[in-house]
Structure formats: C-alpha cells, structure tokens
Amino acid sequence: MTWLITGGAGYIGAHVVRAMTEAGERTVVYDDLSTGVAERVPRGVPLVTGSTLDADLLSRTLGEHAVTGVVHLAGKKQVGESVGMPLHYYHENVEGLRVLLAAVTEAGVASFVFSSSAAVYGMPDVDLVTEETPCLPMSPYGETKLAGEWLVRATGRAHGLSTASLRYFNVAGAASPDLADRGVFNLIPMVFEKLTAGESPRVFGADYPTPDGTCVRDYIHVADLAEAHVATARTLASAARGTDLTLNIGRGEGVSVREMATLINEVTGYDRPATVTARRPGDPARVVASADRAAKELGWSAKRDVREMVASAWAGWADRG
Ligand code: WQD
C-alpha cells in the first residue's frame, strides 16, 4: 500500500511518517507547511506542498502516487486560538476534511485514519474515559474534531471506505531531537520555558477535586502514538471494507500537573518549585483514557513512561535552533 500522510511535516505527523517508513510502508507527505517543517520529512519520502482545501492538487497527488490509504493529521490545533477564530477552524478542519474525503472516495482509496482528540469529550465526569463516554466538546477546536469524526464515519459507510478516528490524549516527547515539538503551548514546554528563563513554572490552579488539587492528564509519548498509527493502518488494510473504529490513544494512567513539574525539575536538573496561579478557564480536572479498546482492536499499547517523554522533550528543547 501507499499511504498519504497529510500534516506529515508536523510534530506528530513526522513521527507517524518515520514509524510507517520504518515498518516498511510506502509514504507520501502532503503538508501546506504553515506550521510543518520540510526538514522533518525523511529523505526518500516525497513531499507535496499544498492545502487539503485544494481539490485538484489532492486528486492529482492521490492518482500520481497510486495512494491506497490516507492518514489525515493536517489541521489547526490550538484550543485557545479556536475560540477567537471558529470560522477559520471549521474551514481548515471540517471543510478541509470534506474536500479531502471527496478526493479520496473519487480515487478509490481503501483506508482512512483520522487524527481526533480527547478534546471531543470536553469536561468528562468519569475516572476513565471510554469511547462510550458522551462527547461534549468545550471549544470550536474540539467541535471540529467531533464533526470530523462524524464526516469520516458517514463517508466510510456510504462509500465502503474503512475508517478509524484516533482520539489522542496529551501527546509529549520526541523520538529524536530533530522531531521535537517546536511550539510552547503545552505543559512540558511551558515549564521548560520558565525554568530556562530563570523563573518558576506555573501551576494553573491547585484547588481541583484531585488528590493533590492539580489537574490530572493522560500523557502519551509521541513515538507510542506513532506506533498506534502503524497498527491502525495495518488493521484497516486487512479489515473488511467499511470497517469503522473509534479509539482512545492514551496510556490509561493519570499524572498531575504537580507530579509533572516535580519530574521535570528532576530530569532537567533544575530545582525550582512551581508557583500556583489562577485556574485556566475551561480546564477539566481529570482526563484519563481507558486504553482497553485500542489494545483489543489493534494489539497495541503504549510502552514509554512519563520520564522518557520529559527526557526526550528536553533533548529536543536543547537542540532548538
Ligand atoms: C495540561 C495541564 C493545564 C501549562 C490540550 C488540548 C487538547 C490537546 C492537548 C490537541 C492543564 C496545566 C499547563 C502551565 C499548567 N490538544 N498547565 N501550567 O489542556 O490538557 O490539552 O492539549 O491538539 O485538546 O486541550 O494540555 O498541556 O495545555 O495542559 O498548570 O504552564 O497543565 O492547566 O491542567 P490540555 P496542556
């Protein structure tokens, strides 16, 4: 098979391309390079620079490379930004997906893997979030991911396309420093930024109904996440036409902000306790996956622990240009 990886020059996408290539799959990257970086695409993997809103370029690319499967990671992903720019997020994430699916069904592609998010759950009120937990997204970003899942599933049903929506939990770390996340939008890089600036990391609220009062999340190493894509691609490729999977991709283990701040100090050699500041609006107290369905359907589970995530993210931070 040949897999088109949209967003393959991004942080997660580049890890997916590397894992798929190492597993012996043929890949082609499709990325508009708005946030992606061409240097992340391995030598020997074709890079097509374009938008998923460009129907003609998509059709040409699918045909020229005889693409049989698509892993769709391209999209906008800043929760806060999406609140102020809902039209832009719906256009890029939902209309971009619709245009891509139209080209995909026209080209007779067999398998489609969609990059979704735990953001579809919003503020879940359960210990472990299963795929049956009600989806009540709290931001336009989360809404576009849920609408995307619906669009993918409906298109799969109507056109005999095998589909999977992977709901990523909190992705962190890097397989190698050159593939590290370059943004400073999530907890681990935000703590790095403070520590290296000689300031105290911030904990956004310590009065949550959790054991230490800080928010609990399910952090997953990006290399494990990438391997979940390989397992999904293989599962879809050998599944009956029209197969449809919705899977949480997490570790099933909660880590609090305070635990993470302590671990980051340990790994980086700093000794700067975090300062508690006000809650960040919209943060759920606890979001931890039940990872059972992915284990059952894919025979995949995460292998790398939080220390490996922090250490590899730190190596990438030091390597930044
Ligand atoms: C984690 C925890 C913060 C920085 C978001 C999206 C989600 C997904 C991943 C998708 C929270 C706390 C953070 C800091 C802190 N995105 N924090 N001090 O919000 O769980 O998930 O990113 O593409 O959809 O919602 O991740 O890393 O921002 O925060 O206390 O300096 O760390 O309040 O509790 P979040 P995060």
Side-chain angles (χ1 to χ4, degrees), residues 60 107-108 116 145 251 278 312:
R60 255 198 335 271
S116 185
K145 288 296 172 184
R251 287 191 317 138
S312 62

Side-chain angles (χ1 to χ4, degrees), residues 7-308:
Y11 161 56
I12 296 175
H15 282 89
V16 171
V17 171
R18 184 182 289 186
M20 297 276 283
T21 312
E22 283 176 2
E25 302 286 343
R26 222 185 350 251
T27 58
V28 177
V29 169
Y30 190 94
D31 199 302
D32 69 3
L33 300 182
S34 57
T35 55
V37 180
E39 290 70 39
R40 286 200 183 116
V41 178
R43 239 184 284 275
V45 173
L47 166 64
V48 179
T49 306
S51 162
T52 55
L53 290 156
D54 187 341
D56 291 340
L57 183 60
L58 280 170
S59 294
R60 255 198 335 271
T61 304
L62 294 172
E64 276 171 14
H65 293 276
V67 170
T68 47
V70 172
V71 182
H72 176 49
L73 297 111
K76 307 300 295 174
K77 63 164 187 177
Q78 299 304 329
V79 174
E81 182 185 68
S82 78
V83 176
M85 306 174 80
L87 295 171
H88 184 56
Y89 271 69
Y90 272 83
H91 188 60
E92 293 281 329
N93 291 3
V94 181
E95 176 61 4
L97 172 60
R98 189 199 65 76
V99 171
L100 172 61
L101 283 167
V104 155
T105 53
E106 189 67 28
V109 169
S111 307
F112 193 91
V113 181
F114 175 58
S115 160
S116 185
S117 167
V120 298
Y121 297 115
M123 302 267 220
D125 188 20
V126 290
D127 194 38
L128 291 182
V129 177
T130 75
E131 292 82 356
E132 307 303 327
T133 299
C135 289
L136 295 163
M138 296 282 296
S139 66
Y141 166 75
E143 291 165 15
T144 65
K145 288 296 172 184
L146 186 54
E149 289 190 8
W150 292 337
L151 190 51
V152 166
R153 187 174 314 133
T155 306
R157 277 199 192 130
H159 295 273
L161 180 68
S162 292
T163 62
S165 289
L166 303 183
R167 293 175 175 166
Y168 311 160
F169 282 64
N170 288 61
V171 185
S176 59
D178 54 311
L179 295 191
D181 193 3
R182 300 197 180 182
V184 189
F185 304 111
N186 297 107
L187 174 61
I188 295 174
M190 284 170 81
V191 172
F192 288 168
E193 188 174 59
K194 289 288 178 191
L195 291 175
T196 52
E199 297 168 24
S200 293
R202 289 169 304 167
V203 171
F204 298 148
D207 58 349
Y208 285 94
T210 58
D212 68 14
T214 69
C215 290
V216 173
R217 295 288 182 272
D218 187 339
Y219 296 90
I220 176 162
H221 197 298
V222 65
D224 279 319
L225 177 73
E227 286 166 15
H229 288 74
V230 176
T232 304
R234 298 242 158 111
T235 300
L236 287 188
S238 58
R241 266 170 81 95
T243 295
D244 169 50
L245 298 170
T246 301
L247 302 172
N248 286 344
I249 306 294
R251 287 191 317 138
E253 208 178 288
V255 177
S256 76
V257 173
R258 220 186 258 295
E259 288 169 335
M260 193 59 107
T262 304
L263 178 64
I264 295 171
N265 268 298
E266 263 174 53
V267 168
T268 59
Y270 282 86
D271 186 15
R272 235 178 221 285
T275 306
V276 176
T277 65
R279 286 185 179 196
R280 190 174 68 176
D283 275 339
R286 177 185 165 90
V287 188
V288 180
S290 160
D292 293 350
R293 192 189 278 183
K296 181 169 160 282
E297 297 285 349
L298 306 178
W300 165 91
S301 56
K303 297 194 282 284
R304 297 159 180 91
D305 64 12
V306 194
R307 187 174 287 271
E308 280 184 77

